[in-house]
Amino acid sequence: MIEFTNVSKYFERDGKRVLAAKDINLKINQGEFLTVIGPSGCGKSTVLNMCAGLMKPSFGEVKYKKQLVNGINTSVGYMTQKDNLLPWRTVRGNVEIGLEIRGIGKKERERESASFIEMVGLKGFENHYPQELSGGMRRRVSLAKMLVYNPETLLLDEPFGALDAQLRLILQDKLLQIWQETGKTIIFVTHDLDEAVLLGERVAVFSKRPGTIKKVEEVKLPKKRDVYNLRMTDEFRKVHANLWQSLREEFVEEVNAV
Ligand SMILES: Nc1ncnc2c1ncn2[C@@H]1O[C@H](COP(=O)(O)OP(=O)(O)OP(=O)(O)O)[C@@H](O)[C@H]1O
Ligand SMILES: [Mg+2]
């Protein structure tokens, strides 16, 4: 479904090059749930941006369904790390944008948006504006805005980072349910190793910048997962310990410097 081949990306600033991602080789199968974890600044968002077609690789190529991504990739829904809610639109107005663009009628838009607004726990806030919401609530509006559009592939960049632990579990569970029922392909970036193992069928660990894929670990747990109890299982502990070993090496220098 998605294929990164020898992808590197650098940015230029004051005549200097900053290498953000280096030699990324990765294939994501249709219907797969891949989680991505790595130190801050290692290029995770850059990789999603290239997949969404918002940035071009400096070297190598990104393909989506065997086609070169060469402009905005309209088959993916992208929940970016920073939200881009329109301040002059209400929660409902923001959630319905994608449906409006598709020319879907008012009645159907309202029905669809209401169901996703409820799903993310924001019933009663339909007529609020983004500036009247908390950070976590804004993230949930962004999630509803992406899901209502029903894209075949979801790119999620730290979607649940600003949420409290309880709400996070509920939304992780909902996302898994959507994935199981629809067979969507998902790339999910997180800073939280627990979350990476709980959700992913495979977990890709990035090294510190310039980010390259250090390890891809399979999580041999059933597709139908219970996020509330999974942490107790042997497989979870095994994969977690294994990945932590790999991840902590990327932080050793920073930790030693403290
Ligand atoms: N548009 C841009 N222009 C210039 N440099 C950029 C741009 N986007 C990213 N970078 C640089 O590329 C590197 C990787 O950034 P990126 O946002 O991909 O990291 P990240 O892994 O998503 O980090 P975090 O976990 O903190 O979100 C950083 O050094 C960043 O400064
Ligand atoms: Mg990022």
Side-chain angles (χ1 to χ4, degrees), residues 11 18 20 38-47 55 81 157-158 191 209:
F11 296 100
V18 174
S40 179
C42 75
K44 301 180 296 295
S45 300
T46 302
V47 162
M55 282 176 186
Q81 192 166 11
D157 199 348
E158 294 265 359
H191 272 135
R209 195 178 59 78

Side-chain angles (χ1 to χ4, degrees), residues 9-20 58 209:
K9 175 75 184 172
Y10 63 78
F11 296 100
E12 273 191 16
R13 178 73 195 228
D14 303 329
K16 272 206 230 152
R17 280 183 178 186
V18 174
L19 191 55
S58 310
R209 195 178 59 78

Side-chain angles (χ1 to χ4, degrees), residues 99 190 196 220:
L99 303 177
T190 177
K220 292 196 188 80

Side-chain angles (χ1 to χ4, degrees), residues 197-209:
V197 181
L198 278 179
L199 299 179
E201 288 182 292
R202 284 190 301 158
V203 183
V205 179
F206 275 54
S207 69
K208 58 180 180 280
R209 195 178 59 78

Side-chain angles (χ1 to χ4, degrees), residues 120-165:
V120 299
L122 288 177
K123 196 164 185 234
F125 288 91
E126 293 84 352
N127 296 321
H128 282 60
Y129 288 90
Q131 56 274 26
E132 298 174 309
L133 304 176
S134 72
M137 289 162 97
R138 292 174 67 113
R139 295 305 279 155
R140 286 184 276 153
V141 177
S142 298
L143 180 65
K145 181 180 155 199
M146 180 189 61
L147 290 173
V148 79
Y149 191 69
N150 197 23
E152 65 182 1
T153 293
L154 308 180
L155 309 177
L156 298 122
D157 199 348
E158 294 265 359
F160 305 147
L163 306 179
D164 64 64

